[in-house]
């Protein structure tokens, strides 16, 4: 167990954007479970295909009076102002984004709107709060640094070189946050994190996609030669890093977050196949690895990401707690156990649920 740090900031009304997505919902659960946060959380989410209120059913039930949901688009500046005033917002943790690289290649427009214009609106609304506002934490990605060769690690001073519309839009949002700190003195921090995995991840991303396809006996698509490398971090460790930065990080600083777990994509796919052969063998008894299919590479596919999180470790004492092997096993178990969640995602039932509850 990590030792508790004394919070430097006491946020009373924390606005979390994108809280119905993968990392946002894990973060809200993390804050409500422990970690010395006793204020209110106001979750602002547009509920795109990636936003699933089912991710927070337990939190909605267990924390009335502390957890609030507002269905809103961060591109709607007037609505943001209304929400900031209604809840007397004093801090923001900003997750909301279009997050999937492949989608940004097919249709970049919504990435520009949400990731850049949406972030701009939030910064303006936070700035308008003046002295009442304590902190804007911006959740960003290691993809802004571009691609590494065989050697080296991304550091906070690595030049930005985004290669996809997704990473370019995130880079733009990082620069806006930095500029609002430098020019207007808006209290802000930024984290740039590597690939997350764990419960509640939408099955368009590599790990949940492979788990669910393998269980369904479908092909396991591997882009190119499968030797691209990502640095994987269990989502709970990311939540802990964000909270560590929000409560003890220096204002105006950027912190890299990573898992010390560089792995080739093909190795991950094979590891998932081995776990499933053991705990959920295919009906035809064939090894799951026979489903692996190499397909056309992603355009502009970054070869290698690897993070130096030394600053976060040295200055704030954070390091990841979960090993990739145990984290992956936990993740596969979670997807096997969450039959209703998986079924609703696959059949789109949660989309009807949203229509019923929110009218659109
Ligand atoms: P996600 O796609 O699972 O969730 C995004 C959430 O944002 C959804 O709930 C969606 O409904 C909401 N949203 C989208 N557009 C919105 C809008 N215009 N207004 C309000 N809400 C909107 O994403 P995720 O994987 O949880 O990522 C969260 C954040 O973390 C993103 O900013 C992403 O860039 C960053 N990040 C992700 C990873 C990763 O591996 N997933 C790694 C590093 C950084
Ligand atoms: O590095 C952080 C980033 O990680 C986040 O900023 C993004 O929001 C998040 O989506 C993730 O981006 P990636 O593109 O790395 O994640 P994805 O799961 O899409 O792909 C992981 C690797 O697996 C990548 O090299 C592409 C490959 N891949 C992916 C899919 C979906 C495949 O080989 N086959 C697939 O079907």
């Amino acid at each position: 167990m990590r030792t508790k740090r004394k919070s430097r900031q006491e946020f009373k009304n924390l606005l979390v954007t994108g809280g119905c997505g993968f990392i946002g919902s894990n973060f809200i659960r993390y804050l409500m479970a422990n970690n010395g946060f006793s204020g209110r959380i106001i979750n602002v989410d547009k509920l795109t295909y990636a936003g699933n209120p089912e991710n927070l059913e337990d939190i909605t039930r267990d924390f009335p009076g502390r957890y609030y949901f507002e269905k809103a688009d961060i591109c709607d500046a007037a609505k943001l102002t209304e929400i900031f005033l209604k809840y007397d917002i004093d801090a923001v943790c900003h997750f909301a984004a279009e997050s999937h690289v492949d989608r940004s290649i097919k249709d970049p427009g919504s990435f520009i709107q949400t990731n850049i214009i949406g972030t701009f609106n939030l910064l303006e609304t936070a700035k308008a709060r003046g002295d009442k506002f304590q902190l804007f934490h911006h959740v960003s990605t290691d993809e802004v640094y571009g691609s590494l060769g065989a050697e080296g690690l991304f550091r906070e001073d690595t030049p930005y070189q985004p290669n996809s519309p997704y990473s370019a839009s995130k880079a733009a949002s990082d620069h806006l946050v930095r500029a609002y700190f430098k020019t207007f003195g808006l209290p802000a921090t930024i984290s740039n994190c590597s690939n997350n995995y764990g419960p509640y991840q939408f099955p368009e991303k590599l790990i949940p996609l492979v788990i669910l396809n393998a269980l369904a006996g479908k092909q396991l698509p591997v882009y190119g030669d499968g030797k691209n490398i990502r640095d994987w971090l269990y989502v709970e460790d990311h939540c802990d890093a964000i909270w560590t930065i929000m409560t003890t990080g220096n204002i105006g600083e950027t912190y890299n977050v990573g898992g010390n777990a560089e792995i080739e994509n093909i190795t991950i796919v094979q590891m998932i196949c081995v776990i499933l052969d053991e705990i959920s063998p295919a009906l035809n008894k064939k090894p799951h690895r026979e489903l692996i299919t190499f397909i056309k590479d992603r355009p502009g596919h970054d070869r290698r990401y690897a993070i130096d999180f030394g600053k976060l470790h040295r200055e704030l004492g954070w390091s990841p707690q979960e090993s990739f092997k145990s984290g992956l096993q936990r993740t596969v178990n979670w997807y096997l156990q969450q039959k209703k969640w998986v079924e609703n995602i696959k059949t789109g039932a949660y989309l009807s649920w949203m229509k019923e509850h929110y009218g659109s």
Side-chain angles (χ1 to χ4, degrees), residues 173-221:
S173 65
D174 293 10
H175 292 324
L176 280 171
V177 176
R178 181 188 152 85
Y180 271 66
F181 164 68
K182 286 276 178 187
T183 304
F184 304 115
L186 184 81
T189 45
I190 300 176
S191 51
N192 292 90
C193 186
S194 61
N195 284 62
N196 283 215
Y197 68 102
Y200 301 102
Q201 188 167 31
F202 192 81
E204 63 187 352
K205 308 291 195 312
L206 180 70
I207 289 180
L209 178 104
V210 166
I211 296 170
L212 296 191
N213 274 16
L215 288 172
K218 291 188 187 159
Q219 73 164 33
L220 311 180

Side-chain angles (χ1 to χ4, degrees), residues 276-296:
L276 287 176
D277 287 347
E278 175 73 23
I279 61 177
S280 185
L283 287 177
N284 62 13
K285 304 280 180 238
K286 285 190 178 170
H288 287 98
R289 67 166 184 276
E290 289 187 12
L291 299 169
I292 295 174
T293 312
F294 288 90
I295 64 168
K296 193 166 167 287

